[in-house]
Amino acid sequence: MLLAIDCGNTNTVFSIWNGTRILCTLRTSTEHQRTADQYYVWLSTLLAHNKIPMDINAVIISSTVPRVVFNLRVLADRYFACRPLVVGRPDCLLPVAPRVDAGTRPGPDRLANAVAAFDRHGGNVVVVDFGTATNFDVVSDDGAYVGGVIAPGVNLSLEALHAGAAALPHVDISQPEKVIGTNTVACIQSGVFWGYIGLIDGLIARIKAEYGAPMKVIGTGGLAPLFAQAENLFDTIEDDLTIHGLTVIHKYNKDQGNI
């Protein structure tokens, strides 16, 4: 079985893929000091609790936090006796190479999203991924990642507002009942929620206009459903897009004899 690991700035997701479907998905906070042994104890305990066998013989990693990769590689080598694929490294092949400026290294999560979007929906797609940052990933008609947009993430914006303005409280993101808030919390919620609706809607419109062809819009990440309930922003929402991309990349490398 394949262990697909998506390590973001805030959380790390571990998914077990049996070649047909995802058997289990587990989430932990991203901590660069966590050792391979700690990962194994945590993972084996939760898999046993979910009655999932530890028949892992392959590992693929997407990480936007370089310092975490070393211990994840040790985890794969020490406990699963395999060399992990690390998306973004030269030895990890992609079905279609990204077309970006020379010297640019797109984030591995963005590459995985592009591969997954093309596999499920074909080309001419924009993926809106809600994470620590809000990423807009543009996928061409042949499946290549061709660029996009990076905006501050929703929770990051809330934390910055709270940290930078002493009189403003920290609030949770939710859809307010009205645009015009009548208390401080409601005003902040309105500004963030409707502000991001405007940001997403405006950027998608500009991307489509610049791209010059009809595009499908996919939302992914934890906050995608929240924003989708207010406006018709996305054609579809997929919470497992990055992990699916990792399974496709692993299969491609296997088919090419690279692993």
Side-chain angles (χ1 to χ4, degrees):
M1 292 194 295
L2 172 67
L3 173 61
I5 305 174
D6 174 26
C7 177
N9 290 292
T10 304
N11 293 314
T12 301
V13 176
F14 292 72
S15 291
I16 307 297
W17 170 258
N18 69 355
T20 304
R21 64 188 181 91
I22 295 290
L23 299 181
C24 183
T25 295
L26 306 168
R27 185 181 299 267
T28 185
S29 58
T30 298
E31 297 176 6
H32 71 270
Q33 70 270 25
R34 186 171 294 167
T35 67
D37 301 329
Q38 289 174 312
Y39 278 121
Y40 181 77
V41 170
W42 172 82
L43 182 62
S44 59
T45 301
L46 287 178
L47 289 180
H49 176 75
N50 286 280
K51 297 180 172 57
I52 306 289
M54 286 281 284
D55 296 334
I56 296 168
N57 54 20
V59 177
I60 185 169
I61 301 167
S62 163
S63 177
T64 58
V65 186
R67 288 195 294 174
V68 174
V69 175
F70 174 78
N71 284 321
L72 292 175
R73 293 177 73 105
V74 174
L75 170 71
D77 177 66
R78 179 179 299 168
Y79 290 104
F80 307 124
C82 68
R83 177 181 66 87
L85 276 175
V86 181
V87 179
R89 298 287 176 87
D91 60 345
C92 181
L93 305 177
L94 298 174
V96 183
R99 292 196 292 273
V100 292
D101 293 345
T104 299
R105 296 182 61 182
D109 54 336
R110 309 186 81 176
L111 297 175
N113 283 346
V115 170
F118 183 74
D119 183 69
R120 286 181 169 174
H121 303 284
N124 297 338
V125 172
V126 55
V127 177
V128 184
D129 188 356
F130 294 88
T132 304
T134 302
N135 292 333
F136 296 71
D137 305 321
V138 179
V139 186
S140 69
D141 58 355
D142 65 347
Y145 169 82
V146 294
V149 176
I150 301 176
V154 178
N155 288 317
L156 190 63
S157 296
L158 280 169
E159 291 170 8
L161 186 64
H162 173 61
L168 297 180
H170 184 276
V171 302
D172 294 324
I173 180 65
S174 63
Q175 182 177 351
E177 295 182 3
K178 301 181 296 181
V179 175
I180 301 174
T182 53
N183 58 68
T184 302
V185 170
C187 288
I188 295 173
Q189 287 178 331
S190 182
V192 172
F193 183 84
W194 292 112
Y196 268 86
I197 289 287
L199 180 146
I200 296 163
D201 195 35
L203 282 175
I204 289 173
R206 289 178 179 274
I207 289 170
K208 287 181 175 180
E210 187 173 291
Y211 191 77
M215 304 182 78
K216 191 168 189 176
V217 182
I218 302 170
T220 191
L223 291 177
L226 173 65
F227 289 101
Q229 72 184 17
E231 297 284 329
N232 187 26
L233 297 172
F234 313 118
D235 294 298
T236 185
I237 294 176
E238 300 184 10
D239 59 0
D240 65 341
L241 195 68
T242 308
I243 291 294
H244 178 68
L246 294 180
T247 67
V248 175
I249 293 170
H250 182 270
K251 183 179 184 302
Y252 178 77
N253 280 265
K254 188 174 182 179
D255 291 344
Q256 296 297 311
N258 192 43
I259 51 175

